[in-house]
Amino acid sequence: MGDLRDNRLTIITGHYGSGKTEFAVNYSIKSLNSYNKVVLADLDIVNPYFRSREKAAFLKNMGIRVIGSSMMNSSMEIPALTADINGAIDDKTSKTIMDIGGDPVGARVLARYSNQISMQGYDMFIVVNANRPETQTVEAVKRYMNNIELSSGLKISGLINNTHLLRSTSIDDLLKGHELCQKVTEDTGIPIVYEVAIRSIADMIKDPSIKIFPIDLYMREDWMS
Amino acid sequence: MAKVLMKGNEAVCEAAIRAGCRYFFGYPITPQNEVPEYMSEKLPKVGGVFLQAESEVAAINMVYGAAGAGGRVMTSSSSPGMALKQEGISYIAGAELPCVIVNMMRGGPGLGSIQPGQADYFQATRGGGNGDYRHIVYAPASIQEMVDILMESFDIADIYRIPVLVLGDGMIGQMMEAVEFKEAIPKELPEKDWITTGTKEKRKPNVINSLYLEPELLYEHNLKLEAKHRLIEENEVRYEATGVEDAEVVCVAYGTTARVVKNAMEELEKEGIKVGLIRPITLWPFPNEAFDKINPKAKGLLTVEMSMGQMIDDVKIASNGRWTTDFHGKSGGLVPSPAGVIDAVKKIIGGGK
């Protein structure tokens, strides 16, 4: 796929455990093709593990700046937001990706920035994994979308189908999520912007109407399934 | 049922509810907070009770009460919180009550860190509480295995009237994996004729208690508990033993760490180094019998833990002087890497760089 056409300010939300961070990390790396300056702002104040700030050193080497908590330690669970986030939102030369904590409770952190973000213009995507028990129906996904919009004060502009079973994902998983997201699009008018797949699956999808976003698993250690 | 993707902490609750658990008493602590969160949402929907206690001490005593009244009851915590529960666990074991306890271990000692650890091995297998008591300790290495074990553990607790501890770590709790909830196979369970649900004036009152002021009576009680412990050692030992018969080095590891070791084993195999693995699934009773299968000519055993070395004591007992026993581990919230295990194995066989 070619260069990214999303707004330079891109917000990644979703259900708890939908795969936001893995997408955000991959999306940041992809953004290097289109932007000289890429910032990944980790605003996850819900999760104590598997946060993008854990990969800060790795991403810094690639040319991506990671903004985490204002507390230095990556394993802190204190929801301390640094003033750097304001700068990254306002900096018109920066592709800024905001990785938000799961669920409406995680999205609440955005309310503090909603006016500032609205003034800049933005895309807010919701990551959907149809293999998560809480987001298997159109109604459930719509409920999450509605609640995330309510708590963040921002509008969702795109769906990301991220339906997988980690390394045991099959094409059927991706297609199941595709079908679910399509139905959500029919009901809400909000389009599917990306359909995420590990590379082995991505290569097998031939349907050009499916906008495949191939990813590598940066957040999973080799010994994890 | 199709596979779904769940965090360990969520899956453990779903498994408990499907196994008939209807009472949960707990107090929040990272990295197991999704457990009380999930229970608080789901238990009321199936007619159960979720109660956030004022402390871990209160929670474990609520477990004592609910178990005494015959309820299928669970509590969960993480390392420092588990320390607080130890007194209650001793009382529950003393009063012979069935319950399930989940510990998602984190780095210690003290408040430690919120990252994963395995430094509660002594606490889990030796008991932080007082007296001659034991309880079963399961150490699953995947979320699927944890789900399967948890669904069975309520029955095991009922059969032996003993607390069952499911010992995970922060990684098992926080990690997501594909899981399938299989239909539980109903076991024949003893009738709970000892519970305190009212005599209806038809029988003598049942008493739930761990106090025996007459030394002879307490000794008798301890002999009864001891006989039960021997029975559990005979019947409930579980482990996985891979390639130990012809291994040069045998690793011993449980839970998350066993997965790191398996990854290292694959790499070593490519280099032509034969490494076996004993993975205790029950930490108590410890699988001593597994060690009898080890190649007598093996160069040594390597215990790998997310601690400064605790299970290694049990490995030495099981080895009984037959092999040298080395240790490799990290603690404080760090996870050993496959590369570290590979180096430690090579050091034992003398072929290291």
Side-chain angles (χ1 to χ4, degrees), chain B residues 20-54:
Chain B
C21 172
R22 289 296 177 270
Y23 304 93
F24 180 93
F25 308 102
Y27 187 82
I29 182 169
T30 308
Q32 63 82 60
N33 280 329
E34 294 84 359
V35 177
E37 194 176 359
Y38 196 96
M39 286 305 210
S40 69
E41 195 198 333
K42 303 280 180 175
L43 268 181
K45 289 180 182 163
V46 293
V49 173
F50 165 87
L51 202 150
Q52 181 173 321
E54 66 269 36

mmCIF file of all heavy atoms in Angstrom, chain B residues 20-54:
data_model
loop_
_atom_site.group_PDB
_atom_site.id
_atom_site.type_symbol
_atom_site.label_atom_id
_atom_site.label_comp_id
_atom_site.label_asym_id
_atom_site.label_seq_id
_atom_site.Cartn_x
_atom_site.Cartn_y
_atom_site.Cartn_z
ATOM 1 N N GLY B 20 -19.010 -22.711 37.906
ATOM 2 C CA GLY B 20 -20.017 -22.604 38.961
ATOM 3 C C GLY B 20 -19.645 -21.679 40.098
ATOM 4 O O GLY B 20 -20.359 -21.592 41.095
ATOM 5 N N CYS B 21 -18.535 -20.967 39.979
ATOM 6 C CA CYS B 21 -18.170 -20.001 41.019
ATOM 7 C C CYS B 21 -19.210 -18.884 41.050
ATOM 8 O O CYS B 21 -19.524 -18.296 40.024
ATOM 9 C CB CYS B 21 -16.781 -19.414 40.740
ATOM 10 S SG CYS B 21 -16.353 -18.065 41.845
ATOM 11 N N ARG B 22 -19.759 -18.627 42.229
ATOM 12 C CA ARG B 22 -20.785 -17.591 42.347
ATOM 13 C C ARG B 22 -20.437 -16.524 43.390
ATOM 14 O O ARG B 22 -21.207 -15.603 43.619
ATOM 15 C CB ARG B 22 -22.145 -18.218 42.695
ATOM 16 C CG ARG B 22 -22.756 -19.018 41.527
ATOM 17 C CD ARG B 22 -23.085 -18.111 40.339
ATOM 18 N NE ARG B 22 -23.596 -18.842 39.191
ATOM 19 C CZ ARG B 22 -22.837 -19.345 38.210
ATOM 20 N NH1 ARG B 22 -21.519 -19.194 38.248
ATOM 21 N NH2 ARG B 22 -23.378 -19.981 37.195
ATOM 22 N N TYR B 23 -19.281 -16.693 44.038
ATOM 23 C CA TYR B 23 -18.909 -15.716 45.059
ATOM 24 C C TYR B 23 -17.460 -15.305 44.850
ATOM 25 O O TYR B 23 -16.582 -16.158 44.680
ATOM 26 C CB TYR B 23 -19.083 -16.301 46.467
ATOM 27 C CG TYR B 23 -20.487 -16.795 46.690
ATOM 28 C CD1 TYR B 23 -20.810 -18.125 46.440
ATOM 29 C CD2 TYR B 23 -21.488 -15.917 47.094
ATOM 30 C CE1 TYR B 23 -22.115 -18.575 46.592
ATOM 31 C CE2 TYR B 23 -22.795 -16.362 47.247
ATOM 32 C CZ TYR B 23 -23.105 -17.692 46.995
ATOM 33 O OH TYR B 23 -24.387 -18.133 47.131
ATOM 34 N N PHE B 24 -17.245 -14.007 44.831
ATOM 35 C CA PHE B 24 -15.881 -13.501 44.694
ATOM 36 C C PHE B 24 -15.696 -12.365 45.690
ATOM 37 O O PHE B 24 -16.486 -11.423 45.736
ATOM 38 C CB PHE B 24 -15.611 -12.990 43.278
ATOM 39 C CG PHE B 24 -14.209 -12.464 43.103
ATOM 40 C CD1 PHE B 24 -13.199 -13.292 42.629
ATOM 41 C CD2 PHE B 24 -13.893 -11.144 43.433
ATOM 42 C CE1 PHE B 24 -11.901 -12.816 42.499
ATOM 43 C CE2 PHE B 24 -12.598 -10.663 43.303
ATOM 44 C CZ PHE B 24 -11.601 -11.504 42.834
ATOM 45 N N PHE B 25 -14.654 -12.494 46.481
ATOM 46 C CA PHE B 25 -14.301 -11.422 47.420
ATOM 47 C C PHE B 25 -12.849 -11.049 47.174
ATOM 48 O O PHE B 25 -11.984 -11.934 47.147
ATOM 49 C CB PHE B 25 -14.475 -11.903 48.867
ATOM 50 C CG PHE B 25 -15.831 -12.503 49.123
ATOM 51 C CD1 PHE B 25 -15.993 -13.878 49.171
ATOM 52 C CD2 PHE B 25 -16.951 -11.688 49.272
ATOM 53 C CE1 PHE B 25 -17.251 -14.440 49.382
ATOM 54 C CE2 PHE B 25 -18.210 -12.248 49.480
ATOM 55 C CZ PHE B 25 -18.369 -13.624 49.535
ATOM 56 N N GLY B 26 -12.596 -9.786 46.965
ATOM 57 C CA GLY B 26 -11.223 -9.413 46.654
ATOM 58 C C GLY B 26 -10.969 -7.942 46.881
ATOM 59 O O GLY B 26 -11.852 -7.180 47.295
ATOM 60 N N TYR B 27 -9.726 -7.595 46.607
ATOM 61 C CA TYR B 27 -9.304 -6.207 46.759
ATOM 62 C C TYR B 27 -8.351 -5.920 45.597
ATOM 63 O O TYR B 27 -7.506 -6.749 45.282
ATOM 64 C CB TYR B 27 -8.597 -6.032 48.111
ATOM 65 C CG TYR B 27 -8.273 -4.597 48.420
ATOM 66 C CD1 TYR B 27 -9.252 -3.760 48.949
ATOM 67 C CD2 TYR B 27 -7.017 -4.072 48.155
ATOM 68 C CE1 TYR B 27 -8.970 -2.429 49.212
ATOM 69 C CE2 TYR B 27 -6.736 -2.741 48.412
ATOM 70 C CZ TYR B 27 -7.713 -1.924 48.938
ATOM 71 O OH TYR B 27 -7.444 -0.608 49.192
ATOM 72 N N PRO B 28 -8.482 -4.770 44.937
ATOM 73 C CA PRO B 28 -7.691 -4.539 43.721
ATOM 74 C C PRO B 28 -6.181 -4.465 43.969
ATOM 75 O O PRO B 28 -5.765 -3.958 45.009
ATOM 76 C CB PRO B 28 -8.191 -3.179 43.213
ATOM 77 C CG PRO B 28 -9.296 -2.761 44.089
ATOM 78 C CD PRO B 28 -9.346 -3.643 45.283
ATOM 79 N N ILE B 29 -5.437 -4.991 43.020
ATOM 80 C CA ILE B 29 -3.983 -4.799 43.006
ATOM 81 C C ILE B 29 -3.494 -5.149 41.598
ATOM 82 O O ILE B 29 -3.928 -6.125 41.007
ATOM 83 C CB ILE B 29 -3.273 -5.651 44.094
ATOM 84 C CG1 ILE B 29 -1.755 -5.404 44.087
ATOM 85 C CG2 ILE B 29 -3.540 -7.140 43.931
ATOM 86 C CD1 ILE B 29 -1.009 -5.995 45.291
ATOM 87 N N THR B 30 -2.603 -4.322 41.063
ATOM 88 C CA THR B 30 -1.994 -4.581 39.771
ATOM 89 C C THR B 30 -0.970 -5.705 39.942
ATOM 90 O O THR B 30 -0.283 -5.721 40.965
ATOM 91 C CB THR B 30 -1.276 -3.310 39.267
ATOM 92 O OG1 THR B 30 -2.208 -2.230 39.343
ATOM 93 C CG2 THR B 30 -0.777 -3.465 37.850
ATOM 94 N N PRO B 31 -0.808 -6.656 39.030
ATOM 95 C CA PRO B 31 -1.394 -6.725 37.682
ATOM 96 C C PRO B 31 -2.567 -7.703 37.545
ATOM 97 O O PRO B 31 -2.648 -8.391 36.554
ATOM 98 C CB PRO B 31 -0.193 -7.203 36.867
ATOM 99 C CG PRO B 31 0.556 -8.105 37.824
ATOM 100 C CD PRO B 31 0.289 -7.602 39.213
ATOM 101 N N GLN B 32 -3.484 -7.717 38.518
ATOM 102 C CA GLN B 32 -4.640 -8.617 38.395
ATOM 103 C C GLN B 32 -5.956 -7.862 38.472
ATOM 104 O O GLN B 32 -7.004 -8.456 38.706
ATOM 105 C CB GLN B 32 -4.569 -9.746 39.430
ATOM 106 C CG GLN B 32 -4.626 -9.314 40.882
ATOM 107 C CD GLN B 32 -6.031 -9.060 41.420
ATOM 108 O OE1 GLN B 32 -6.862 -9.947 41.421
ATOM 109 N NE2 GLN B 32 -6.271 -7.831 41.877
ATOM 110 N N ASN B 33 -5.931 -6.559 38.241
ATOM 111 C CA ASN B 33 -7.147 -5.758 38.448
ATOM 112 C C ASN B 33 -8.302 -6.119 37.530
ATOM 113 O O ASN B 33 -9.458 -5.866 37.857
ATOM 114 C CB ASN B 33 -6.824 -4.272 38.294
ATOM 115 C CG ASN B 33 -6.189 -3.730 39.558
ATOM 116 O OD1 ASN B 33 -6.489 -4.212 40.645
ATOM 117 N ND2 ASN B 33 -5.300 -2.767 39.419
ATOM 118 N N GLU B 34 -7.996 -6.718 36.384
ATOM 119 C CA GLU B 34 -9.093 -7.115 35.490
ATOM 120 C C GLU B 34 -9.920 -8.229 36.110
ATOM 121 O O GLU B 34 -11.051 -8.451 35.689
ATOM 122 C CB GLU B 34 -8.550 -7.561 34.132
ATOM 123 C CG GLU B 34 -7.883 -6.455 33.303
ATOM 124 C CD GLU B 34 -6.425 -6.232 33.679
ATOM 125 O OE1 GLU B 34 -5.923 -6.912 34.601
ATOM 126 O OE2 GLU B 34 -5.793 -5.359 33.068
ATOM 127 N N VAL B 35 -9.352 -8.947 37.088
ATOM 128 C CA VAL B 35 -10.117 -10.042 37.720
ATOM 129 C C VAL B 35 -11.308 -9.469 38.495
ATOM 130 O O VAL B 35 -12.454 -9.771 38.167
ATOM 131 C CB VAL B 35 -9.218 -10.949 38.592
ATOM 132 C CG1 VAL B 35 -10.055 -12.008 39.283
ATOM 133 C CG2 VAL B 35 -8.130 -11.600 37.746
ATOM 134 N N PRO B 36 -11.067 -8.630 39.511
ATOM 135 C CA PRO B 36 -12.239 -8.065 40.192
ATOM 136 C C PRO B 36 -13.140 -7.257 39.254
ATOM 137 O O PRO B 36 -14.365 -7.253 39.425
ATOM 138 C CB PRO B 36 -11.642 -7.180 41.294
ATOM 139 C CG PRO B 36 -10.187 -7.094 41.028
ATOM 140 C CD PRO B 36 -9.808 -8.260 40.180
ATOM 141 N N GLU B 37 -12.543 -6.596 38.265
ATOM 142 C CA GLU B 37 -13.353 -5.798 37.345
ATOM 143 C C GLU B 37 -14.331 -6.689 36.575
ATOM 144 O O GLU B 37 -15.521 -6.387 36.467
ATOM 145 C CB GLU B 37 -12.424 -5.053 36.366
ATOM 146 C CG GLU B 37 -13.146 -3.962 35.605
ATOM 147 C CD GLU B 37 -12.219 -3.153 34.712
ATOM 148 O OE1 GLU B 37 -11.007 -3.426 34.702
ATOM 149 O OE2 GLU B 37 -12.726 -2.268 34.016
ATOM 150 N N TYR B 38 -13.808 -7.807 36.053
ATOM 151 C CA TYR B 38 -14.637 -8.733 35.284
ATOM 152 C C TYR B 38 -15.693 -9.358 36.183
ATOM 153 O O TYR B 38 -16.867 -9.448 35.827
ATOM 154 C CB TYR B 38 -13.738 -9.818 34.698
ATOM 155 C CG TYR B 38 -14.355 -10.648 33.581
ATOM 156 C CD1 TYR B 38 -14.119 -10.323 32.248
ATOM 157 C CD2 TYR B 38 -15.137 -11.754 33.862
ATOM 158 C CE1 TYR B 38 -14.656 -11.088 31.225
ATOM 159 C CE2 TYR B 38 -15.683 -12.526 32.843
ATOM 160 C CZ TYR B 38 -15.431 -12.195 31.527
ATOM 161 O OH TYR B 38 -15.969 -12.956 30.513
ATOM 162 N N MET B 39 -15.282 -9.783 37.375
ATOM 163 C CA MET B 39 -16.218 -10.424 38.309
ATOM 164 C C MET B 39 -17.319 -9.459 38.725
ATOM 165 O O MET B 39 -18.478 -9.852 38.875
ATOM 166 C CB MET B 39 -15.466 -10.942 39.530
ATOM 167 C CG MET B 39 -14.646 -12.194 39.263
ATOM 168 S SD MET B 39 -15.654 -13.526 38.565
ATOM 169 C CE MET B 39 -14.817 -14.970 39.186
ATOM 170 N N SER B 40 -16.960 -8.197 38.927
ATOM 171 C CA SER B 40 -17.960 -7.222 39.377
ATOM 172 C C SER B 40 -19.029 -7.021 38.315
ATOM 173 O O SER B 40 -20.182 -6.748 38.610
ATOM 174 C CB SER B 40 -17.298 -5.883 39.726
ATOM 175 O OG SER B 40 -16.813 -5.246 38.562
ATOM 176 N N GLU B 41 -18.634 -7.171 37.051
ATOM 177 C CA GLU B 41 -19.606 -6.993 35.973
ATOM 178 C C GLU B 41 -20.427 -8.261 35.746
ATOM 179 O O GLU B 41 -21.632 -8.206 35.536
ATOM 180 C CB GLU B 41 -18.876 -6.593 34.683
ATOM 181 C CG GLU B 41 -19.832 -6.047 33.637
ATOM 182 C CD GLU B 41 -19.256 -6.057 32.231
ATOM 183 O OE1 GLU B 41 -18.019 -5.983 32.095
ATOM 184 O OE2 GLU B 41 -20.056 -6.169 31.283
ATOM 185 N N LYS B 42 -19.743 -9.411 35.765
ATOM 186 C CA LYS B 42 -20.406 -10.651 35.323
ATOM 187 C C LYS B 42 -21.114 -11.424 36.441
ATOM 188 O O LYS B 42 -22.130 -12.065 36.176
ATOM 189 C CB LYS B 42 -19.380 -11.579 34.659
ATOM 190 C CG LYS B 42 -18.639 -10.947 33.487
ATOM 191 C CD LYS B 42 -19.446 -10.955 32.208
ATOM 192 C CE LYS B 42 -18.648 -10.304 31.085
ATOM 193 N NZ LYS B 42 -19.265 -10.358 29.791
ATOM 194 N N LEU B 43 -20.563 -11.432 37.643
ATOM 195 C CA LEU B 43 -21.165 -12.281 38.692
ATOM 196 C C LEU B 43 -22.617 -11.905 39.006
ATOM 197 O O LEU B 43 -23.465 -12.802 39.098
ATOM 198 C CB LEU B 43 -20.310 -12.275 39.968
ATOM 199 C CG LEU B 43 -19.265 -13.395 40.073
ATOM 200 C CD1 LEU B 43 -18.507 -13.279 41.400
ATOM 201 C CD2 LEU B 43 -19.878 -14.784 39.942
ATOM 202 N N PRO B 44 -22.932 -10.612 39.144
ATOM 203 C CA PRO B 44 -24.342 -10.290 39.438
ATOM 204 C C PRO B 44 -25.293 -10.781 38.339
ATOM 205 O O PRO B 44 -26.438 -11.110 38.624
ATOM 206 C CB PRO B 44 -24.347 -8.753 39.508
ATOM 207 C CG PRO B 44 -22.937 -8.385 39.815
ATOM 208 C CD PRO B 44 -22.079 -9.422 39.138
ATOM 209 N N LYS B 45 -24.793 -10.865 37.107
ATOM 210 C CA LYS B 45 -25.654 -11.290 35.984
ATOM 211 C C LYS B 45 -26.014 -12.770 36.046
ATOM 212 O O LYS B 45 -26.933 -13.213 35.374
ATOM 213 C CB LYS B 45 -24.961 -10.995 34.648
ATOM 214 C CG LYS B 45 -24.895 -9.516 34.339
ATOM 215 C CD LYS B 45 -24.200 -9.236 33.015
ATOM 216 C CE LYS B 45 -24.105 -7.739 32.778
ATOM 217 N NZ LYS B 45 -23.121 -7.404 31.763
ATOM 218 N N VAL B 46 -25.242 -13.560 36.807
ATOM 219 C CA VAL B 46 -25.556 -14.986 36.932
ATOM 220 C C VAL B 46 -26.036 -15.301 38.347
ATOM 221 O O VAL B 46 -25.981 -16.445 38.796
ATOM 222 C CB VAL B 46 -24.343 -15.878 36.554
ATOM 223 C CG1 VAL B 46 -24.025 -15.756 35.082
ATOM 224 C CG2 VAL B 46 -23.112 -15.551 37.400
ATOM 225 N N GLY B 47 -26.504 -14.266 39.045
ATOM 226 C CA GLY B 47 -27.037 -14.473 40.387
ATOM 227 C C GLY B 47 -25.957 -14.635 41.449
ATOM 228 O O GLY B 47 -26.225 -15.116 42.541
ATOM 229 N N GLY B 48 -24.747 -14.238 41.124
ATOM 230 C CA GLY B 48 -23.653 -14.376 42.078
ATOM 231 C C GLY B 48 -23.422 -13.100 42.856
ATOM 232 O O GLY B 48 -24.135 -12.106 42.692
ATOM 233 N N VAL B 49 -22.424 -13.144 43.710
ATOM 234 C CA VAL B 49 -22.093 -11.988 44.545
ATOM 235 C C VAL B 49 -20.636 -11.600 44.307
ATOM 236 O O VAL B 49 -19.734 -12.429 44.444
ATOM 237 C CB VAL B 49 -22.290 -12.298 46.042
ATOM 238 C CG1 VAL B 49 -21.781 -11.144 46.905
ATOM 239 C CG2 VAL B 49 -23.757 -12.572 46.339
ATOM 240 N N PHE B 50 -20.426 -10.348 43.932
ATOM 241 C CA PHE B 50 -19.081 -9.775 43.913
ATOM 242 C C PHE B 50 -19.015 -8.781 45.061
ATOM 243 O O PHE B 50 -19.896 -7.940 45.197
ATOM 244 C CB PHE B 50 -18.795 -9.047 42.597
ATOM 245 C CG PHE B 50 -17.586 -8.159 42.692
ATOM 246 C CD1 PHE B 50 -16.326 -8.677 42.441
ATOM 247 C CD2 PHE B 50 -17.692 -6.821 43.075
ATOM 248 C CE1 PHE B 50 -15.197 -7.869 42.568
ATOM 249 C CE2 PHE B 50 -16.566 -6.014 43.203
ATOM 250 C CZ PHE B 50 -15.318 -6.552 42.939
ATOM 251 N N LEU B 51 -17.975 -8.871 45.844
ATOM 252 C CA LEU B 51 -17.837 -7.896 46.916
ATOM 253 C C LEU B 51 -16.397 -7.438 47.008
ATOM 254 O O LEU B 51 -15.490 -8.265 47.141
ATOM 255 C CB LEU B 51 -18.297 -8.517 48.241
ATOM 256 C CG LEU B 51 -18.714 -7.519 49.332
ATOM 257 C CD1 LEU B 51 -19.779 -8.128 50.227
ATOM 258 C CD2 LEU B 51 -17.531 -7.054 50.148
ATOM 259 N N GLN B 52 -16.212 -6.129 46.861
ATOM 260 C CA GLN B 52 -14.869 -5.596 47.088
ATOM 261 C C GLN B 52 -14.701 -5.352 48.575
ATOM 262 O O GLN B 52 -15.379 -4.498 49.153
ATOM 263 C CB GLN B 52 -14.635 -4.307 46.307
ATOM 264 C CG GLN B 52 -13.218 -3.806 46.558
ATOM 265 C CD GLN B 52 -12.834 -2.627 45.698
ATOM 266 O OE1 GLN B 52 -13.185 -2.562 44.533
ATOM 267 N NE2 GLN B 52 -12.107 -1.694 46.290
ATOM 268 N N ALA B 53 -13.829 -6.144 49.164
ATOM 269 C CA ALA B 53 -13.619 -6.056 50.607
ATOM 270 C C ALA B 53 -12.790 -4.817 50.932
ATOM 271 O O ALA B 53 -12.244 -4.169 50.046
ATOM 272 C CB ALA B 53 -12.908 -7.311 51.092
ATOM 273 N N GLU B 54 -12.684 -4.506 52.211
ATOM 274 C CA GLU B 54 -11.886 -3.334 52.614
ATOM 275 C C GLU B 54 -10.403 -3.637 52.624
ATOM 276 O O GLU B 54 -9.579 -2.742 52.706
ATOM 277 C CB GLU B 54 -12.350 -2.801 53.975
ATOM 278 C CG GLU B 54 -12.109 -3.728 55.162
ATOM 279 C CD GLU B 54 -13.292 -4.645 55.440
ATOM 280 O OE1 GLU B 54 -13.949 -5.088 54.474
ATOM 281 O OE2 GLU B 54 -13.546 -4.934 56.630
#
